[in-house]
């Protein structure tokens, strides 16, 4: 049996019931993280979009920390390790 982690009472596990459509800001932020020059390499933005929109592979789950300073703060947690 796998023990479930205690992530705290203010963490919500996000279930991926349907494909996620990322915002333009999310894609730009991820592109910059990847080293894509958003202004000069628009032909590479599809890579960032695919990375943000891709489903999280099992056993990982996206989690939302409701106590975070940034309302959009998402982190990923492996529930099997």
């Amino acid at each position: 049996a796998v023990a479930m982690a205690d992530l705290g009472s203010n963490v919500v596990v996000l279930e991926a019931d349907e494909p996620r459509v990322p915002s333009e800001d999310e894609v730009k932020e991820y592109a910059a993280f990847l080293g894509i020059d958003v202004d000069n390499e628009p032909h590479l933005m599809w890579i960032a979009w695919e990375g943000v929109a891709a489903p999280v592979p099992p056993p990982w789950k996206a989690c939302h920390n409701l106590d975070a300073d940034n309302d959009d703060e998402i982190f990923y947690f492996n529930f099997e390790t």
Side-chain angles (χ1 to χ4, degrees):
V2 175
M4 294 301 281
D6 179 9
L7 298 177
S9 61
N10 290 323
V11 172
V12 176
V13 177
L14 305 173
E15 299 297 335
D17 294 336
E18 56 188 60
R20 187 171 175 279
V21 178
S23 72
E24 186 176 339
D25 286 342
E26 286 177 294
V27 175
K28 286 180 178 180
E29 183 178 319
Y30 190 59
F33 172 79
L34 293 175
I36 296 171
D37 184 328
V38 175
D39 296 323
N40 295 314
E41 298 177 311
H43 59 284
L44 299 177
M45 293 301 290
W46 69 270
I47 298 169
W49 191 92
E50 289 288 337
V52 175
V56 179
W60 292 88
K61 295 216 181 257
C63 301
H64 184 190
N65 182 358
L66 301 177
D67 285 336
D69 292 335
N70 180 353
D71 289 340
D72 295 331
E73 183 173 309
I74 304 293
F75 67 95
Y76 300 91
F77 190 82
N78 181 328
F79 283 86
E80 290 185 8
T81 59

